[in-house]
Amino acid sequence: MLGVCYYPEHWNEDRWETDARRMRELGISFVRIGEFAWSRLEPSRGNYDFAWLDRAMDVLTKAGLKIVLGTPTATPPKWLIDEYPDILPYDEQGRPRGFGSRRHYTFSSETWWRESARIVEAVAERYGEHPGLVGWQTDNEYGCHDTTLSWGPEDLKAFRRWLRLRYQSADQLNEAWGSVFWSMEVGSFDEVALPNLTVTESNPATRLDFWRFHSDQIAAYDKMQCEIIRKHSPDRWITHNFMGFVLDFDHFQVADNLDLASWDSYPIGFVEKFPFSEAERNRWAETSHPDIAPFHHDLYRAVGRGRFWVMEQQPGPVNWAPWNPIPKPGMVRLWTWEALAHGAEVVSYFRWRQAPFAQEQMHAGLNLPGLDELSPGGREAEQVAKEFAIVGTLPEVQKAKVAIVFDYQSYWTTKIQPQGKDFHYEELTFRWYESLRRLGMDIDFVRPGASLDGYALVVLPCATEISVDLERQLRRFDGVLLIGPRTGSRTRNFSIPDNLPPGPLADLTGHRVLQVSTLRPGLAQSVTGEAAGAAIRWREDIEASGDVLARFGDGMPAFTRNGKIHYLACWPDEALLTATMAQVLDAAGLAKFEVPDHVRLRRRGNLVFAFNYGEDDWQVPAGMRIVLGESNLRPYEVTVWQA
Amino acid sequence: MLGVCYYPEHWNEDRWETDARRMRELGISFVRIGEFAWSRLEPSRGNYDFAWLDRAMDVLTKAGLKIVLGTPTATPPKWLIDEYPDILPYDEQGRPRGFGSRRHYTFSSETWWRESARIVEAVAERYGEHPGLVGWQTDNEYGCHDTTLSWGPEDLKAFRRWLRLRYQSADQLNEAWGSVFWSMEVGSFDEVALPNLTVTESNPATRLDFWRFHSDQIAAYDKMQCEIIRKHSPDRWITHNFMGFVLDFDHFQVADNLDLASWDSYPIGFVEKFPFSEAERNRWAETSHPDIAPFHHDLYRAVGRGRFWVMEQQPGPVNWAPWNPIPKPGMVRLWTWEALAHGAEVVSYFRWRQAPFAQEQMHAGLNLPGLDELSPGGREAEQVAKEFAIVGTLPEVQKAKVAIVFDYQSYWTTKIQPQGKDFHYEELTFRWYESLRRLGMDIDFVRPGASLDGYALVVLPCATEISVDLERQLRRFDGVLLIGPRTGSRTRNFSIPDNLPPGPLADLTGHRVLQVSTLRPGLAQSVTGEAAGAAIRWREDIEASGDVLARFGDGMPAFTRNGKIHYLACWPDEALLTATMAQVLDAAGLAKFEVPDHVRLRRRGNLVFAFNYGEDDWQVPAGMRIVLGESNLRPYEVTVWQA
Amino acid sequence: MLGVCYYPEHWNEDRWETDARRMRELGISFVRIGEFAWSRLEPSRGNYDFAWLDRAMDVLTKAGLKIVLGTPTATPPKWLIDEYPDILPYDEQGRPRGFGSRRHYTFSSETWWRESARIVEAVAERYGEHPGLVGWQTDNEYGCHDTTLSWGPEDLKAFRRWLRLRYQSADQLNEAWGSVFWSMEVGSFDEVALPNLTVTESNPATRLDFWRFHSDQIAAYDKMQCEIIRKHSPDRWITHNFMGFVLDFDHFQVADNLDLASWDSYPIGFVEKFPFSEAERNRWAETSHPDIAPFHHDLYRAVGRGRFWVMEQQPGPVNWAPWNPIPKPGMVRLWTWEALAHGAEVVSYFRWRQAPFAQEQMHAGLNLPGLDELSPGGREAEQVAKEFAIVGTLPEVQKAKVAIVFDYQSYWTTKIQPQGKDFHYEELTFRWYESLRRLGMDIDFVRPGASLDGYALVVLPCATEISVDLERQLRRFDGVLLIGPRTGSRTRNFSIPDNLPPGPLADLTGHRVLQVSTLRPGLAQSVTGEAAGAAIRWREDIEASGDVLARFGDGMPAFTRNGKIHYLACWPDEALLTATMAQVLDAAGLAKFEVPDHVRLRRRGNLVFAFNYGEDDWQVPAGMRIVLGESNLRPYEVTVWQA
Ligand SMILES: [Zn+2]
Ligand SMILES: [Zn+2]
Ligand SMILES: [Zn+2]
């Protein structure tokens, strides 16, 4: 199904009917509205104006559209900020971040919670039972623009409260953080300082707790909104539109409050944000890398416990990356089909019409700026809608054979303490995902501590802390397991485990990490054995009691096996990574199907989807029953066949 | 004619006479003084000390020198800043910029206007009728060191006043800025915030108005000084010494108050500041790029409505660039002749003698540090003075055949919203200028909205907003017109025009821009047809109703013609740019005369000047009547002949 | 002798005895303790707790270890900062630098002096006569983490006091600084402003005085601690552990108060901090550059007037560089022997055991994190201890034949006014040192103004100001002298000398500098003659009255000789540098012995040490009586023979 994001408040009221009709004609079923409209819903304190939104929702409903309504908390209006400046967030440099764009609030402000509750209540009360309403979106893109962490006086107050609950006494806090080091001990919680603007590095244990504290706050804040909404709108679902590559808070935890996950898919913009090489950025500039969107689809399917939408789908060039190329013709259609292949219930384009004014005026829409005329991307969306008739109802999504454990906290931990400047958790995980998909695999992501039952192969690229739940699941898992570097390297208190890494997993993996080497770009250490290639960036000196499958040039173990449990003691280059994955897939009895770097496959029920991100054709295996597209998969094209 | 900048307050009074005599012996006619001397003219509030300046001006006048006197407002003294700290400017990070160098004031401070008026009045009253005085310089290098914009409380107050005048009501401001987007609406002008330190990008319409506001302030401030000066010194001219590549305010507007323009020419320092490639920076490190100074000469000739000086001419190595090489022997002379060839009335060297103390102690002068002994650059100036006798009085400057429309606001607009990180307005304009000069053209710059009558070819590299005046002139122009990308892409309120770009020019150019692609370095899109090469950085998808002269690889129009009006829908690489210029020069019936990349020509009346910036000789066309130099133009040399 | 840094407060008391015993078993004689323990020694104001340290010192003493006790002033505890926030330092951006790591104080705070005196007095009184105590360390790593300079209100107050003493009157200050330039004159010392956050460059004379002021403060602060210690502990020596490549204060001046110098040697971490090329960083990533540690050994031997320790020796990977590789096996041993070869009395490893918590948890120790088990580095230390028996007592260090004059102030001067962005004083000096060592030389460093008697060759890479003492020593020196660029280019007041550079040395060198060219990377100017190669980065135009040994491509003198005094008028590339050094060594009658770039020699008494930092073997000259190692010097190995 298709959807679209729409802003009735941006257009003259006499255009709404035409817009709604043309949406339906295009094949759109859902429309998301309202999430930035606070200044129109409450132009000054207490003076609510719902009349315009009543009319807009009626027009949309009458046209047959189903409405998703956003709470407007991402954009508190100026009168509110002037009344309560303590709402503003602070950056890590200690400066307040001002009014004039969006997300200008800190989750630590008690004022903000009260005001948020008030506007959410007002909106939920008014529209909770509206016949056109099918669901809610809370706020907009938590964490976007680095807004998870805030470093102001309200944050310090709330952080101290959070610490008091966690540690009970200053002594226990000092003990947990190792504050004796450098005389950092505090006599009471009121002595705790923010971990920014220190002379040199602040205590990593403090910084991790500061990060956890903020992540907890987002979950609690979202829960507060959900509870209000559910009170007034018990029969509608609630989601939040997460961003891509914003890993600053635990999305699993936030989604515990939600009925389904959704995310905002800007495949080309993300190419500039992800730590790709310049060569890769050039290669994928106009199509995106073929794993960027799928990685997120699969991750958010896990976050949504099986249910997810693409709430915002890039429909053409955007405005916010350093460079913003037009996608290759066909890509908007390809991305849409790909989201569906990965299980998206709805793909909703952002936005109906390019706004000719304000910050996003260079962001494409399905219609040209200000006009009732489809953009190139709009015409591709139209084509997808027509193809629905050919493909028919999509089958249920099946559980994959391969799972990746994804751990937000490990991202925080390795950001706090990179040890090597280019150790990026998200890149490590992405490369492992990419490698498995190059070998033809479908992949599920799994929350740390969730059940691993039923998978033939589980990979854990890096989990710095092994929680009790995660340990339990790893111990009961009976398939093939591949564990990556730094796993088990930290306790809950950000210390090195008493028995050295991997701490609680030592008996499972049969190894112990003595010391770690981080390697600047240009340095590599060869690895030979059953998997060959080189270690880059990160390399561990380990002792191993199990089988050594591959060794570094100096003879130390690089890749080990203890029963079905494999450990890779380095950041692998592409050759070593591919060989490692081949090894564990073989061990798990999974058949590999290698695809070129610009082609990807994805199964949904009995359908197989193939996507071509490159300039060269690719041939579908002979004898397939093709449902959509051709057996010669041309550039930027999609082919679907029955498995 | 030659001039020099001199600071009597820096030297013992008993050296003044020798200095003046040696200036005259060198061939210097004009001397600029006084522009940083406030702390000596008024050592504490109200205690004026003019005696020393009286004596200095008498010594200079007696020696036969004509004096240009600067108002000392670029350096308010410490006692004044301590008395009124609200004079200080604020940087974009919200920090006050302190005392201790120069230009430490904001144009928004009412205190500052009052104090400026007071000191200007005192100086103008004292010296307005001095027999040695020929003209005035207001302040020094407006905008230098990023001092056009300021972000403090005084600026917010003044900005709100300016907005109130422009928009009358908050509703009209909200409408103009599209503030409904992201709930940015304000209830009154007192709710308007500065557009800095926002969580993500602030509204570009706000930022453009903020920029216009500051540009207006400079013009008004300069006008205030001029009015005071004219009251007391009605028979002298007034100029301001503009900087190179400072485009933060509208120089045409400031010059409306002035009798002539002047600028400060540091050709080598600018090589490090302009967005050249590293290869170009290395190539031109010791000579400057051959279009850097000429570009400014031609631009300031327009700013000065035909009259300009070089007020400060680099006489050797400077101190303020990341690297400061000694110019190749001959370059100081070459730059001097080049300024004259482009119409400079006077070339005034900065400074008479290198000061061995304080910030500019590594900045060369015509004399060695502290000594009465010519520096290498001083000896080149001496040579120029001798050559005046050979060349004789220079003929009048003639109108060129080719004009470039130069638009300061387009620089602001594209800085506010680059969309592609390397879209630099000044570079685009510079490359078009360079390309035309490589084909042998003399060039006039034209203010947007000024008459285009009499030109055979007008090029408009980029004018984002088409003002009513500019549209009128373009419509009445009957020569060949070449228009570049992004032209007409914004309304006065920084919106996309209702009919899409180029807005009001749509019927002239016969095209419409649907979407824009910005291309990272390394990406290029081939262009073939009557002009061939590649698009880099910026490429538009356009619909065209006229002739398509060249197309992108995907078949879309790249270069179009509608009657005599040409449109180039991209940032051209060098090959495409040269081919495009050749095309329009042919269309305009102008004969090309191609020169190598290190040689440039310039005509002044019946004289032709040739300049050699490179290491290879160049042959003057045979049979010319040479006035200065040789027919074999050697490196760093000048040849002048009669046309 | 070997030592180790130990933190009894980090470990359960029941582990102390084992630790002490195992230290002795390893061969360790000295243990440094206490320098970060303030929060344990005084948990709240006035509540001293010495009991635990009493017990710890007794345990260590009983085990036969000799104790070095650090004053704990590098880490003032939180209660003290909360009581007196004026202790905090300010960064150059004007922000207070907060509590939460270390060195969070400014030397300008009077409160801080009082509180420092109090805690030092308490500790010195308690332990001054402890039988296990052999010496004291004041504070920890002055200047580390950019803590020499501070830019807060306390600093401004103290700076004004310092200026009043230096200049007596505002007039003299204005005169000295050339404040008339840009109207920077002050009417009283209370008008002096900090030289940061100015609109453009602040006055370099002010900045140099600001730097001197801070350097003086460190010396005075350290002296204050020393005087208190000496009162209570008259029979023990005092040192301070200086850092590598922290040149922000005058170490010679601080060491005037000390009995011996010590320094903290992290050879691999420094590779990332020193301005090496990327190629050099890759080449030496796992061994360090072969001159990094020796350069400091030789420098600190001079700072300590012949006596120095390595107080902290890197024992494996560290945590604080962008990348932190494991040293090649053998390097910990090699570095230890090398320090001894250069005259270190003790090499003390940092630290006994890797701490599994807080900021340095990834910093290796002699034992694995939290364990009683030697790390790989620990085993190398053990090997060194065993080898002591083979080599026996080391002979006395002899005076070298070659000396380098090292001048901290020239580092400050060239940082304040680089003129060319890549003129790094420390790099220039390092390259000259490296070049001499590649030719087989042992080197002494000499403080400017100290006696040069007895050296055959003295090199002075750069001394911007020629003090009276330095001039006197240079005039009386009768060996061969090589002087480098910028020498004598500034007076005491940061002006260009009246007679141009080299100012007071003009008659000695026989040259005068007319102007200077700084050359961006990629530019070079060839030099030919008795020394050939190229000038990069910096080149002077000089007039020379003596012999011209080599000339630039344009014929101007590049390398001159006036009697025995040589002057090099540029930054030499490697070829020119080597040729220059060969020339002056020949002139001094010193035999060269060229070694490959990965091998270095060092003599101590009658012993010659050879060290191999590379992957290729090196052959010891035939016929030597080898004391340790083999005649075939393998990678990362040491060979010692009798000369
Ligand atoms: Zn966003
Ligand atoms: Zn300037
Ligand atoms: Zn340190």
Side-chain angles (χ1 to χ4, degrees), chain C residues 136-278:
Chain C
W136 290 89
Q137 174 189 298
T138 53
D139 203 285
N140 184 75
E141 294 177 349
Y142 290 136
C144 195
H145 321 302
D146 281 322
T147 52
T148 299
L149 304 187
S150 170
W151 312 79
E154 296 300 309
D155 302 292
L156 180 55
K157 266 195 278 181
F159 184 41
R160 286 171 175 173
R161 281 196 301 268
W162 185 92
L163 290 171
R164 190 171 277 122
L165 284 173
R166 186 181 181 92
Y167 292 110
Q168 319 299 331
S169 77
D171 280 357
Q172 292 191 60
L173 176 143
N174 288 331
E175 175 68 24
W177 286 358
S179 303
V180 62
F181 197 84
W182 290 355
S183 278
M184 297 177 294
E185 290 162 306
V186 292
S188 78
F189 289 101
D190 291 338
E191 285 188 11
V192 171
L194 292 173
N196 63 334
L197 296 173
T198 47
V199 170
T200 182
E201 188 191 356
S202 57
N203 192 330
T206 311
R207 289 161 73 200
L208 178 58
D209 269 350
F210 192 64
W211 215 315
R212 286 168 170 156
F213 148 69
H214 279 298
S215 180
D216 282 359
Q217 284 197 137
I218 295 187
Y221 176 84
D222 192 71
K223 194 171 174 213
M224 176 269 285
Q225 290 210 5
C226 289
E227 286 172 352
I228 294 169
I229 292 168
R230 290 214 168 85
K231 198 170 54 175
H232 299 286
S233 190
D235 305 325
R236 271 68 175 185
W237 50 256
I238 311 178
T239 191
H240 172 76
N241 61 329
F242 296 102
M243 243 325 239
F245 290 125
V246 166
L247 308 176
D248 287 340
F249 61 94
D250 187 335
H251 292 39
F252 293 115
Q253 193 186 350
V254 172
D256 284 341
N257 312 316
L258 303 173
D259 299 294
L260 57 92
S262 70
W263 80 287
D264 297 347
S265 178
Y266 295 96
I268 282 188
F270 294 147
V271 170
E272 291 285 344
K273 290 204 141 187
F274 188 79
F276 285 122
S277 69
E278 285 301 284

Side-chain angles (χ1 to χ4, degrees), chain B residues 277-536:
Chain B
S277 69
E278 286 300 286
E280 283 177 300
R281 286 213 176 115
N282 284 345
R283 170 93 195 267
W284 306 115
E286 297 171 292
T287 58
S288 186
H289 183 289
D291 292 303
I292 284 276
F295 178 93
H296 287 90
H297 295 319
D298 291 342
L299 177 58
Y300 284 112
R301 199 174 62 246
V303 166
R305 298 180 302 281
R307 294 193 61 192
F308 81 104
W309 285 32
V310 172
M311 189 58 89
E312 301 182 7
Q313 172 62 55
Q314 175 170 2
V318 301
N319 64 305
W320 46 264
W323 288 274
N324 298 287
I326 299 174
K328 284 284 185 189
M331 290 310 300
V332 172
R333 169 179 170 258
L334 184 154
W335 294 327
T336 307
W337 274 116
E338 191 171 52
L340 297 168
H342 285 260
E345 299 182 359
V346 171
V347 178
S348 166
Y349 298 96
F350 182 86
R351 54 205 303 159
W352 173 242
R353 181 191 293 113
Q354 187 168 346
F357 48 80
Q359 280 93 332
E360 292 182 349
Q361 55 188 256
M362 290 299 282
H363 192 300
L366 294 183
N367 287 278
L368 294 171
L371 301 181
D372 293 337
E373 183 180 346
L374 290 183
S375 66
R379 288 195 295 270
E380 294 191 23
E382 192 175 34
Q383 182 183 345
V384 173
K386 284 180 187 144
E387 290 168 346
F388 283 168
I390 302 167
V391 179
T393 306
L394 293 172
E396 285 297 292
V397 176
Q398 290 164 323
K399 189 179 181 112
K401 296 276 188 292
V402 178
I404 297 179
V405 179
F406 190 88
D407 179 35
Y408 288 94
Q409 182 178 278
S410 293
Y411 172 80
W412 313 338
T413 307
T414 53
K415 287 279 260 191
I416 289 169
Q417 187 179 73
Q419 183 67 9
K421 203 175 150 181
D422 50 7
F423 193 105
H424 305 297
Y425 171 80
E426 74 280 22
E427 185 181 359
L428 182 72
T429 306
F430 181 83
R431 294 302 182 190
W432 287 38
Y433 176 91
E434 176 189 32
S435 185
L436 287 163
R437 291 199 76 219
R438 288 286 309 283
L439 295 170
M441 297 298 116
D442 288 339
I443 295 167
D444 287 348
F445 281 99
V446 177
R447 180 181 191 166
S451 167
L452 303 173
D453 294 354
Y455 291 110
L457 170 66
V458 168
V459 310
L460 179 62
C462 172
T464 48
E465 178 196 340
I466 305 301
S467 67
V468 173
D469 287 347
L470 176 56
E471 185 188 345
R472 185 184 311 119
Q473 294 298 339
L474 292 172
R475 287 192 183 279
R476 60 179 273 183
F477 177 58
D478 60 0
V480 171
L481 184 60
L482 171 65
I483 293 177
R486 300 187 86 157
T487 296
S489 60
R490 288 297 171 274
T491 67
R492 180 151 181 69
N493 293 329
F494 212 106
S495 291
I496 300 173
D498 288 345
N499 63 342
L500 303 186
L505 303 185
D507 63 308
L508 287 186
T509 61
H511 84 280
R512 188 171 80 133
V513 180
L514 301 185
Q515 53 182 1
V516 162
S517 203
T518 51
L519 308 172
R520 50 191 350 273
L523 294 192
Q525 301 194 348
S526 73
V527 171
T528 51
E530 294 187 37
I536 53 174

Side-chain angles (χ1 to χ4, degrees), chain B residues 36 38-40 78 95 97-98 101 272 282 286 318 322-326 356 359 361-362 373, chain C residues 93 183-185 191 197-201 203 419 421-422 490 494-496 512 515 517-518 520 525:
Chain B
F36 297 126
W38 194 334
S39 75
R40 288 291 166 100
K78 187 67 189 328
R95 293 173 308 200
R97 305 176 74 181
S101 61
E272 290 286 344
N282 284 345
E286 297 171 292
V318 301
W323 288 274
N324 298 287
I326 299 174
Q359 280 93 332
Q361 55 188 256
M362 290 299 282
E373 183 180 346
Chain C
Q93 305 309 307
S183 278
M184 297 177 294
E185 290 162 306
E191 285 188 11
L197 296 173
T198 47
V199 170
T200 182
E201 188 191 356
N203 192 330
Q419 183 66 7
K421 202 175 150 181
D422 49 8
R490 288 296 170 275
F494 211 108
S495 290
I496 300 173
R512 187 172 80 132
Q515 52 184 0
S517 202
T518 50
R520 52 192 346 274
Q525 301 194 347

Side-chain angles (χ1 to χ4, degrees), chain A residues 93 185 191 490 518 520, chain C residues 39 78 95 272 324 361:
Chain A
Q93 304 310 307
E185 290 163 306
E191 285 188 11
R490 288 296 170 275
T518 50
R520 52 192 348 273
Chain C
S39 75
K78 187 68 188 327
R95 293 173 309 200
E272 291 285 344
N324 298 288
Q361 54 187 256

Side-chain angles (χ1 to χ4, degrees), chain C residues 403-421:
Chain C
I404 297 179
V405 180
F406 189 89
D407 178 34
Y408 288 94
Q409 182 179 278
S410 293
Y411 171 80
W412 314 337
T413 306
T414 52
K415 287 280 261 191
I416 289 169
Q417 186 178 74
Q419 183 66 7
K421 202 175 150 181

Side-chain angles (χ1 to χ4, degrees), chain B residues 102-103 140-141 144-145 243 264 266 312 320 360:
Chain B
R102 58 180 185 175
R103 304 212 55 69
N140 184 72
E141 294 178 349
C144 196
H145 320 304
M243 242 325 237
D264 296 349
Y266 294 97
E312 301 182 7
W320 46 264
E360 292 182 349

